[in-house]
């Protein structure tokens, strides 16, 4: 699954620079995650970096974008030009 930022986001700006795939950007009201770029940091790190730095714990799995670890790894390979 990709991740999603909930409306509990306080726009603290710490998650965006942590995303290795540049999947996080400022939305109209809160930060948003592009599910086509989110790999939950698979391929880069052991854990999603945005979740690690979020002070309000507002970045859960997105139930509307379910993906297996293999699918996330394939997305990582495509995004990094390795596939």
């Amino acid at each position: 699954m990709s991740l999603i930022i909930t409306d509990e986001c306080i726009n603290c700006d710490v998650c965006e620079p942590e995303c290795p795939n540049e999947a996080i950007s400022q939305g109209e009201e809160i930060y948003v995650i592009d599910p086509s770029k989110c790999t939950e940091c698979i391929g880069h790190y052991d854990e999603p970096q945005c979740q690690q730095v979020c002070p309000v714990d507002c970045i859960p799995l997105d139930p509307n974008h379910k993906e297996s670890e293999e699918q996330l790894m394939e997305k990582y390979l495509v995004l990094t030009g390795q596939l």
Side-chain angles (χ1 to χ4, degrees):
M1 288 187 195
S2 71
L3 301 169
I4 188 169
I5 297 176
T6 68
D7 60 4
E8 296 166 347
C9 174
I10 58 172
N11 289 314
C12 66
D13 303 321
V14 298
C15 61
E16 184 181 23
E18 295 299 320
C19 182
N21 296 326
E22 298 180 350
I24 301 174
S25 61
Q26 180 64 50
E28 287 187 30
E29 295 181 24
I30 60 172
Y31 278 89
V32 294
I33 296 177
D34 180 346
S36 69
K37 293 181 178 180
C38 179
T39 62
E40 295 178 44
C41 290
I42 287 180
H44 294 284
Y45 303 103
D46 293 333
E47 298 177 345
Q49 297 302 288
C50 59
Q51 286 181 331
Q52 298 302 307
V53 298
C54 181
V56 293
D57 195 27
C58 68
I59 310 176
L61 292 172
D62 183 351
N64 296 318
H65 294 97
K66 295 182 180 184
E67 295 170 289
S68 68
E69 189 170 331
E70 292 79 23
Q71 290 171 310
L72 293 169
M73 179 56 86
E74 184 174 333
K75 189 190 308 185
Y76 160 77
L77 294 172
V78 169
L79 288 170
T80 58
Q82 298 179 48
L83 185 68

